[in-house]
Structures are given as structure tokens and as C-alpha cells.
Amino acid sequence: MEKSARPRTALNECVKVVVRCRPLSEREKNESYEEGKKRVRHEEKAWYDRLSTKAVNKFDGKLQVVKVWPERGAVQVDNPKGQDKLFTYDAAYDCTADTKTIYDEMVRPLVASVLDGFNGCVFAYGQTGTGKTHTMEGTGDDEGIIPRTFRHMWAHIENTASPDVTHLVSCSYVELYLEDVRDLLAKDCKKLTIRGQELNGFYIPEMTSIVCKSANEMVRLMRAGNRNRASGRTDMNEHSSRSHAVFLVTVETAHRSTDRIRCPHLQFPWLIQEFCLSIPSNRLSSGLPLFPGGPVHTVIYKLIEPKQEGPHSLYPPQS
Ligand SMILES: Nc1ncnc2c1ncn2[C@@H]1O[C@H](COP(=O)(O)OP(=O)(O)OP(=O)(O)O)[C@@H](O)[C@H]1O
């Protein structure tokens, strides 16, 4: 049993798992799949009641494979062999949800705690084409979680500006492709070495760290790093990221009167599910090679592992 001094409420839960289902692609629509439409109450109930009966995967003549229940935080998945499966999360968003709502409800409290001095991590995980990049980076009309975080951080920094407090914001961006760790912010995307120490965990000593003075500067840095990321085409996504990546933001806050320096970190890793599951590659991709797995991959998971205490994982140990 977990012991905690703090009550486990929605706001202070250490790890939250949230599902976002994107709208159907043109290809999926052409294959006769259907998005969940707004239905009248008794029809909704009928869908939910299917859980206790044998599933029928035809609804209004079209295939609806996934049904999201935002008010229950649940996702119901059609099982052609029998009863539907129901999975419950901290929150579930259907294709009508925008990134702003997800940010405000799920990410804003985490970023606020980073600004209070705690480490944080927002982690996008899913099969190719499921919407990780759309959610994390966003589009011209709908900004993603990362640029929203930058704006939130800078709004906080500007609102709390005083002669007594100084903030220093710096960013790093690394990718893991095959067995190499590359620095996406270095001119030649140089290969990096991960080092480990028994007491301080894993860190990357030569990773570029760039000081930024505004949210827009951070967005430009993220885009510059994205241009260096390995990409290709998969059966599910024309413009697919083919690597794991971690965008790391460090906010140092110095208080002149107390000589106190706080240095929390916020990480944005992208992990692609294909690496973790042994799905035959011909089902997933016809582009650049997928991840073979191996020791470096184990280490990258260690890098983003939440730490209870001590210096942050991607940085050299502090004496
Ligand atoms: N919530 C959404 N609303 C509208 N379109 C979306 C949404 N999520 C994803 N899409 C669209 O679906 C396609 C695939 O999304 P995206 O590239 O974000 O997937 P991904 O998970 O990052 O894929 P990969 O792992 O292959 O890089 C894109 O064309 C994107 O614009």
C-alpha cells in the first residue's frame, strides 16, 4: 500500500493518465468508420449497457470502434470477438475537445507546480498517427501543449517580476534514433553520450542548453530542433516522427534577499509506441527504420523516470 502524507486528490496526484481521441482521418472515413456523434441520452445508455451484453460492432450501419465517455473519463473499445472493453483514465477527451481545454484542465496545474519549484513531465505516448505531435506542438490555429506552457511560464515570470527575484530559463532538445542520442540544438546535431552515476542517476554532460528570453524564442527553438528530427512516412501518417525525443526546460529562480536558488525542470518526451510493442514492422511503417530496442532505450526511459529527490536526470551531477 502506498503511504502518503498528502491526501490523494485529483489536484495533487503524482501521475495522471489522460486519453485524447483524434477525429477520424479521411482514409478512416472512407473505410466506413464513424466518429461518436452526439446522441440522445437513452442511446448513450444503450451503448454503455452493451458492456454487459455481447458486443455488436455496427451502429447506425457504420463501424464505431472507439467510444469516448468524457464525463466518465472512460474509453470503450469494440471487441469483435465478444464483450466491449472499458478502460478508465484520469480524463478522456473525444474528437470535439480542443488543446486549450486539455491544457487548462490537465497541464496548467502541473506547470504551476513547476513554477513553484517541483519537477514535472508531460509525456505523449501513442501509435504512429494518433496525434502526439498535434497535441504537443499544435498547428497554426490551435497551439499545442508545449507552446502553451512557454506562454504560461513567461506570463508567470512577468507577473512576479521584482528586483528581488531573477529567473533564468534554458532549453535543451535531444532525440533518440536507433542507438544514437543526438543533440537537436547543436549545429551538426552531434552525437551525445549518456553517463550514469550510482548516486546521481543518468545525465548527458555535453547537451546544448540555450537561454531564452521569451515564449516566442522558445517556440522558435523547438521548431529549429524539430527540423533536425528524423522523420519519414508510415502507413498511418504521411509526416511521421521516427524518433523518441525529449524537450527539456529549466527554470532557475534566484531570490536575492535569501540567496536561495530553485531549479526545477519540465520535460516533454515523445515516445512512440512501436518501440515498446513487438508489432511486425510491415503493419506499421514503410519509412525509416523503427527502433530495434537495446540498452540505450532502457537508459532513455531512465532519463525521464520521475525522481524523488536529487539533481535532475538530464543534467550533470551537482556537487
Ligand atoms: N485532435 C486532432 N484534431 C485534428 N487533427 C488531428 C488531431 N490529432 C491529430 N490530427 C491529425 O492526424 C494526423 C496525425 O497526427 P500526428 O502527426 O500528430 O500523429 P503522431 O502521433 O505525432 O504520429 P507519428 O508518431 O507518426 O509522428 C495529422 O494529420 C494531424 O493533423
Side-chain angles (χ1 to χ4, degrees):
M1 261 305 249
E2 185 187 338
K3 281 192 183 155
S4 169
R6 294 185 303 168
R8 290 172 65 83
T9 63
L11 274 180
N12 66 16
E13 200 79 54
C14 285
V15 178
K16 283 190 187 171
V17 183
V18 175
V19 168
R20 181 185 201 180
C21 288
R22 64 157 168 75
L24 291 180
S25 65
E26 282 312 308
R27 182 179 138 182
E28 287 156 345
K29 283 183 193 153
N30 293 339
E31 288 174 358
S32 283
Y33 290 99
E34 189 195 57
E35 270 157 20
K37 283 191 235 134
K38 208 70 204 142
R39 298 180 197 287
V40 290
R41 246 192 143 68
H42 70 272
E43 283 178 328
E44 287 277 326
K45 189 168 177 313
W47 229 94
Y48 206 68
D49 286 348
R50 284 173 40 188
L51 280 173
S52 56
T53 61
K54 195 166 159 33
V56 188
N57 71 4
K58 290 243 172 203
F59 200 85
D60 293 349
K62 289 209 167 188
L63 279 172
Q64 191 183 1
V65 180
V66 174
K67 169 93 178 103
V68 183
W69 299 91
E71 64 285 5
R72 296 177 167 101
V75 175
Q76 185 171 346
V77 181
D78 174 68
N79 173 11
K81 293 193 181 146
Q83 198 172 314
D84 288 359
K85 305 268 184 205
L86 188 74
F87 302 94
T88 306
Y89 303 90
D90 291 296
Y93 293 93
D94 64 16
C95 60
T96 61
D98 57 10
T99 308
K100 180 181 182 311
T101 308
I102 299 174
Y103 185 84
D104 287 344
E105 293 179 0
M106 293 293 142
V107 187
R108 192 174 280 282
L110 174 92
V111 176
S113 74
V114 169
L115 296 167
D116 271 347
F118 296 92
N119 287 346
C121 176
V122 183
F123 180 108
Y125 177 83
Q127 195 190 317
T128 174
T130 46
K132 299 181 291 294
T133 310
H134 183 96
T135 300
M136 298 301 275
E137 287 171 27
T139 59
D141 318 333
D142 188 15
E143 274 200 319
I145 280 170
I146 299 180
R148 281 175 196 280
T149 302
F150 299 162
R151 296 193 199 292
H152 179 176
M153 281 169 47
W154 281 97
H156 171 90
I157 288 171
E158 278 153 24
N159 289 339
T160 55
S162 87
D164 184 47
V165 182
T166 317
H167 295 280
L168 185 70
V169 178
S170 51
C171 303
S172 303
Y173 200 1
V174 294
E175 90 167 342
L176 175 69
Y177 181 61
L178 300 173
E179 281 297 292
D180 293 329
V181 180
R182 297 193 315 140
D183 189 337
L184 294 174
L185 299 184
K187 263 199 188 124
D188 51 356
C189 292
K190 64 176 187 252
K191 277 193 206 170
L192 296 167
T193 308
I194 300 178
R195 303 211 179 276
Q197 281 187 350
E198 208 174 307
L199 284 181
N200 296 294
F202 292 94
Y203 63 98
I204 304 178
E206 286 166 8
M207 180 173 68
T208 304
S209 174
I210 297 184
V211 172
C212 290
K213 296 205 173 98
S214 70
N216 285 343
E217 221 174 279
M218 291 170 83
V219 172
R220 277 199 295 278
L221 208 55
M222 179 185 79
R223 292 198 181 132
N226 286 344
R227 285 195 285 277
N228 293 330
R229 271 188 81 182
S231 66
R233 196 192 74 80
T234 65
D235 291 346
M236 305 269 301
N237 192 358
E238 191 61 33
H239 305 284
S240 174
S241 318
R242 299 286 69 209
S243 61
H244 301 308
V246 182
F247 192 94
L248 180 79
V249 181
T250 307
V251 190
E252 281 178 58
T253 310
H255 293 263
R256 236 177 277 268
S257 55
T258 55
D259 277 348
R260 210 173 130 227
I261 297 184
R262 276 192 325 215
C263 187
H265 306 279
L266 182 58
Q267 296 180 344
F268 297 103
W270 282 257
L271 301 183
I272 301 180
Q273 189 193 21
E274 293 150 24
F275 152 60
C276 307
L277 301 175
S278 54
I279 297 172
S281 60
N282 60 0
R283 270 188 54 198
L284 291 165
S285 168
S286 49
L288 289 168
L290 298 175
F291 310 101
V296 172
H297 296 89
T298 312
V299 169
I300 206 89
Y301 275 109
K302 293 272 179 212
L303 283 170
I304 62 164
E305 222 170 42
K307 292 267 184 299
Q308 295 268 308
E309 54 189 338
H312 194 271
S313 46
L314 286 184
Y315 271 77
Q318 294 149 5
S319 49

